[in-house]
């Protein structure tokens, strides 16, 4: 790398140095808020309340906030609800998106282009919150976790990406499989999806992150607190300052300090699992999204 740098002109060297400095600064700006939350979550509640400015290490190392968070039954119940939504939701998303993408990618499906126009139309126009809310109530999904899964079973953007990836598979390969007696389900699950595993992995990541971070629909369709997903519980703690149930037994003067570190610990508990999933799917990300982006 340094050998190539020495061969560059003065203008190219200047641009490279400035580019690296800018990207390094941007990286620090992006990462530091997360680092701050990590340090604050392990800090002593009273020391963190008196700290101003940058935080470069935990102030008085303490695990009390995590103990309080993990002893809160709402957190564990929220985890279970979120995992249910994540597993079943992502499974339904991938299954239905694959079915639709496969059908719309086949050249012998004559109505495919017309149906695709109708699907793309939904990206620009939709019924809105009130009609959707009425629909959810009328079909019996109110106060049901499937209200967070079924209405978002297929994302139009993800469908277009997967359809484009499926169209890259040679028709001659599928015709050969048909001649050997393969039906459409076998073509999809044994040929098309294995050959498009990079795109499928990216779709899993997109859908999983959506389900993990989603809270708005839950706030509309779920009235029972025991059905709340983790992100809705996190919202109550952060925005509505609902830490009273976790600071029982704490004096009034200490509640604010303890509640502050509890917020940081809750953010870490709700964020860490999805961050751990990224490294396993990152190598598929660029390849999966870029498939079909360039027309040769």
């Amino acid at each position: 790398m340094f050998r190539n740098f020495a061969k560059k002109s003065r203008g190219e060297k200047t641009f490279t140095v400035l580019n690296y400095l800018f990207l390094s600064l941007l990286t620090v700006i992006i990462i530091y808020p997360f680092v701050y939350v990590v340090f604050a979550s392990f800090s002593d509640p009273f020391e963190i309340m008196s700290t101003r400015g940058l935080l470069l290490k935990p102030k008085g190392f303490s695990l009390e906030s995590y103990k309080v968070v993990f002893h809160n039954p709402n957190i564990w119940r929220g985890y279970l609800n979120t995992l249910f939504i994540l597993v079943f939701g992502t499974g339904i998303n991938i299954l239905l998106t694959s079915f639709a993408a496969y059908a719309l990618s086949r050249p012998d499906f004559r109505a495919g282009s017309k149906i695709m126009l109708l699907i793309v139309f939904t990206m620009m126009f939709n019924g809105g919150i009130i009609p959707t809310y009425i629909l959810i109530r009328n079909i019996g999904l109110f106060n049901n976790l499937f209200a967070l899964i079924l209405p978002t079973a297929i994302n139009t953007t993800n469908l277009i990406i997967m359809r484009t990836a499926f169209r890259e598979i040679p028709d001659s390969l599928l015709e050969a499989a048909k001649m050997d007696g393969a039906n459409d389900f076998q073509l999809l699950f044994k040929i098309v999806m294995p050959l498009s595993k990079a795109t499928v992995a990216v779709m899993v990541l997109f859908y999983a992150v959506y389900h993990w971070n989603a809270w708005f629909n839950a706030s509309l369709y779920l009235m029972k607190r025991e059905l709340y997903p983790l992100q809705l519980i996190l919202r109550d703690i952060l925005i509505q300052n609902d830490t009273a149930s976790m600071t029982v037994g704490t004096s009034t003067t200490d509640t604010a300090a303890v509640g502050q570190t509890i917020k940081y610990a809750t953010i870490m508990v709700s964020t860490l699992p999805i961050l751990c999933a990224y490294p396993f799917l990152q190598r598929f990300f660029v390849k999966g999204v870029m498939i079909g982006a360039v027309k040769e």
Side-chain angles (χ1 to χ4, degrees):
M1 183 180 68
F2 293 104
R3 187 176 301 173
N4 294 333
F5 181 78
K7 296 179 181 179
K8 293 181 177 181
S9 65
R10 180 178 295 180
E12 290 176 330
K13 290 179 181 178
T14 303
F15 173 78
T16 301
V17 171
L18 293 177
N19 195 28
Y20 273 99
L21 289 175
F22 172 74
L23 291 177
S24 299
L25 178 62
L26 187 63
T27 301
V28 172
I29 293 173
I30 294 173
I31 293 179
Y32 180 73
F34 178 75
V35 174
Y36 183 95
V37 172
V38 174
F39 290 156
S41 67
F42 287 105
S43 298
D44 181 83
F46 306 102
E47 291 194 32
I48 198 66
M49 283 291 290
S50 60
T51 301
R52 295 292 181 270
L54 296 177
L55 186 64
L56 301 178
K57 64 178 182 178
K59 295 289 185 178
F61 185 82
S62 174
L63 295 176
E64 289 302 317
S65 298
Y66 285 95
K67 291 180 181 179
V68 172
V69 169
F70 284 121
H71 279 86
N72 183 7
N74 290 330
I75 297 292
W76 290 109
R77 193 179 300 115
Y79 252 117
L80 292 176
N81 292 334
T82 298
L83 288 175
F84 176 86
I85 297 168
L86 180 69
V87 173
F88 280 90
T90 305
I92 291 174
N93 291 145
I94 296 299
L95 184 65
L96 296 184
T97 304
S98 300
F99 284 166
Y102 173 76
L104 294 170
S105 67
R106 295 302 92 211
D108 54 347
F109 183 41
R110 297 181 180 179
S113 59
K114 296 179 181 179
I115 294 177
M116 199 65 210
L117 286 175
L118 294 176
I119 293 174
V120 173
F121 182 82
T122 64
M123 297 179 68
M124 298 172 283
F125 303 97
N126 59 72
I129 295 176
I130 296 177
T132 305
Y133 181 85
I134 295 173
L135 176 65
I136 293 297
R137 288 193 68 98
N138 289 343
I139 63 177
L141 288 180
F142 197 73
N143 274 329
N144 191 315
L145 290 179
F146 280 99
L148 312 182
I149 298 174
L150 298 182
T152 57
I154 298 178
N155 179 276
T156 306
T157 304
N158 294 344
L159 172 62
I160 294 173
I161 294 174
M162 188 172 283
R163 170 180 172 263
T164 304
F166 287 177
R167 295 183 77 169
E168 296 293 317
I169 298 173
D171 292 334
S172 56
L173 178 61
L174 301 181
E175 290 297 330
K178 284 184 178 180
M179 292 178 64
D180 289 336
N183 57 37
D184 285 316
F185 288 102
Q186 292 172 323
L187 292 176
L188 174 61
F189 291 113
K190 293 186 177 181
I191 297 179
V192 175
M193 292 187 71
L195 292 176
S196 306
K197 63 180 181 180
T199 302
V200 174
V202 172
M203 293 301 102
V204 170
L205 178 62
F206 282 174
Y207 280 124
V209 171
Y210 168 78
H211 286 302
W212 186 269
N213 292 328
W215 63 269
F216 183 70
N217 286 347
S219 67
L220 291 178
Y221 307 137
L222 302 179
M223 296 294 107
K224 297 180 180 178
R225 194 174 182 84
E226 59 268 20
L227 295 176
Y228 280 10
L230 183 63
Q231 297 303 327
L232 193 54
I233 294 175
L234 175 63
R235 176 183 176 274
D236 289 345
I237 292 174
L238 296 181
I239 298 179
Q240 299 183 9
N241 202 27
D242 185 13
T243 59
S245 62
M246 292 187 280
T247 55
V248 176
T250 305
S251 63
T252 306
T253 56
D254 298 344
T255 300
V258 176
Q260 192 68 21
T261 54
I262 286 175
K263 291 179 182 180
Y264 292 128
T266 306
I267 292 173
M268 290 302 304
V269 168
S270 61
T271 305
L272 194 59
I274 201 67
L275 289 180
C276 293
Y278 267 97
F280 297 100
L281 297 172
Q282 184 180 8
R283 61 193 182 100
F284 298 110
F285 188 81
V286 175
K287 181 181 178 182
V289 173
M290 292 299 292
I291 286 178
V294 178
K295 195 70 176 177
E296 297 181 358

